[in-house]
Amino acid sequence: MRPIANTRDVTGVPTGRLAIWWVIGSEIVIFGGLLASYLMYRLANPGWAGHAAHTNVVAGGFNTFVLLTSSLFAVLAHQAAEAGNGKKAAKLLIATTVGGLIFLTVKGFEWTHEIQLGYTITANTFWSFYYTAAGLHACHVIAGMIVMLIVAAKARRGVDLHHVELIGIYWHFVDVVWIFLFPLLYIAK
Amino acid sequence: MSEHAHPNYVKIWGILLVLLVVSIVGPMFEIQAVTLVTAFGIAFVKAYLVVKNFMHLNVEPRFLIYMLATCLAFMGLFYAGVAPDVMAATGSNWVKPSFVAALDPYADDGGVLGH
């Protein structure tokens, strides 16, 4: 492993990992604000249960399964990287990325069907929240996939293996956000 | 890279999948209390398992936990500050104009924003 800046340890946490936790902290405020807003509108408006009934629980549940499984691959990649096995870590990171791709594909079919039925982002406030929250989450999935492929390419060559853990922490957070989005948007009818 | 003991990740993944099934099946009974516990209560359990075992927050220094907790507290502060306005139609010496037009402001499927 190369002695680069983000492996320094001043606070008891390597700087790179500390930076990721700060990213997570800012993401908590971003998603937290959005979900808190959704929650207060939802509680004030029982009629939204009727809109939520049109979301596809099977698709949402399958996507939760996909994200949980991709999180498993991400943490196994971290374990492999820690053991110095960059090639295995790279393979597991690619498997994680495939999980993200499956998630986005299902989301694409789901949204296409909903838009065809007239449930667009401007249909009403519920669908505005639905597309904004799920869309923002999907953007995070895409960003994570891009970074993960870069980290995987480097890990394959045995370079910067500590980055595997950092992208993993981010990916798990994206998973945690979906864990809350799923019941809020799909389950609560 | 953090050096720490790794739990059995596949076992944790299995537990998460069982919890996922419960969170889908529970609300099918259409009992509000059961829905709250199975859908939302279990979401917190799942998040805890992921944060503890996959993100390894439990082995990080405590200041990181406090930092993240502060961010969550700000989310709570935001909710407490804004919800009274969003969720109420009237208050002391004020009435929300968008609520004046209809007796039941929530009857419109469009929601409180009036779409």
Side-chain angles (χ1 to χ4, degrees):
Chain A
M1 195 185 304
R2 290 184 301 169
I4 56 175
N6 62 1
T7 58
R8 286 183 305 180
D9 181 344
V10 182
T11 57
V13 184
T15 310
R17 204 162 80 228
L18 183 63
I20 281 292
W21 282 117
W22 273 110
V23 169
I24 303 290
S26 65
E27 296 283 0
I28 287 175
V29 179
I30 293 168
F31 278 106
L34 188 61
L35 294 186
S37 301
Y38 171 80
L39 200 60
M40 61 182 88
Y41 276 96
R42 178 69 196 263
L43 291 174
N45 196 346
W48 283 19
H51 299 307
H54 297 293
T55 57
N56 191 331
V57 179
V58 176
F62 177 74
N63 263 349
T64 311
F65 163 74
V66 169
L67 274 194
L68 289 173
T69 307
S70 71
S71 259
L72 171 69
F73 291 144
V75 80
L76 290 176
H78 166 211
Q79 194 174 18
E82 208 167 86
N85 192 341
K87 286 190 175 173
K88 186 180 178 187
K91 282 179 187 168
L92 286 162
L93 283 183
I94 288 168
T96 310
T97 310
V98 170
L101 195 62
I102 294 170
F103 177 89
L104 292 173
T105 305
V106 172
K107 208 99 210 69
F109 279 110
E110 204 184 333
W111 280 20
T112 303
H113 179 67
E114 283 155 356
I115 290 168
Q116 281 173 343
L117 291 175
Y119 304 128
T120 61
I121 194 167
T122 55
N124 56 51
T125 318
F126 170 82
W127 290 103
S128 296
F129 269 114
Y130 173 82
Y131 286 108
T132 304
L136 185 65
H137 179 265
C139 287
H140 282 74
V141 171
I142 293 167
M145 287 165 65
I146 293 168
V147 176
M148 208 169 292
L149 287 176
I150 295 168
V151 172
K154 287 163 79 178
R156 194 178 154 74
R157 300 194 306 271
V159 177
D160 292 339
L161 288 181
H162 60 286
H163 287 179
V164 174
E165 181 186 20
L166 307 187
I167 186 60
I169 292 173
Y170 170 86
W171 192 259
H172 300 314
F173 175 76
V174 172
D175 189 12
V176 168
V177 171
W178 183 258
I179 283 173
F180 287 105
L181 279 180
F182 176 56
L184 283 170
L185 298 177
Y186 292 81
I187 298 284
K189 308 289 189 195
Chain B
M1 219 174 317
S2 64
E3 299 291 339
H4 50 78
H6 290 276
N8 186 339
Y9 294 123
V10 176
K11 185 181 169 187
I12 292 157
W13 172 74
I15 295 169
L16 286 167
L17 292 191
V18 171
L19 291 174
L20 169 63
V21 171
V22 174
S23 69
I24 293 172
V25 172
M28 287 179 179
F29 293 103
E30 296 186 353
I31 302 167
Q32 195 176 21
V34 176
T35 300
L36 280 174
V37 172
T38 54
F40 296 101
I42 282 181
F44 282 97
V45 177
K46 280 193 287 187
Y48 171 77
L49 287 174
V50 171
V51 171
K52 179 175 182 261
N53 297 295
F54 288 179
M55 297 171 85
H56 306 115
L57 185 60
N58 58 324
V59 296
E60 296 285 17
R62 293 201 72 80
F63 80 87
L64 272 181
I65 298 169
Y66 296 144
M67 185 268 281
L68 296 174
T70 304
C71 293
L72 282 171
F74 272 116
M75 177 185 144
L77 188 65
F78 166 73
Y79 189 96
V82 178
D85 180 48
V86 171
M87 299 176 72
T90 59
S92 299
N93 302 318
W94 66 272
V95 176
K96 203 182 287 178
S98 60
F99 283 87
V100 176
L103 286 175
D104 179 7
Y106 304 128
D108 174 16
D109 276 350
V112 291
L113 292 184
H115 289 290

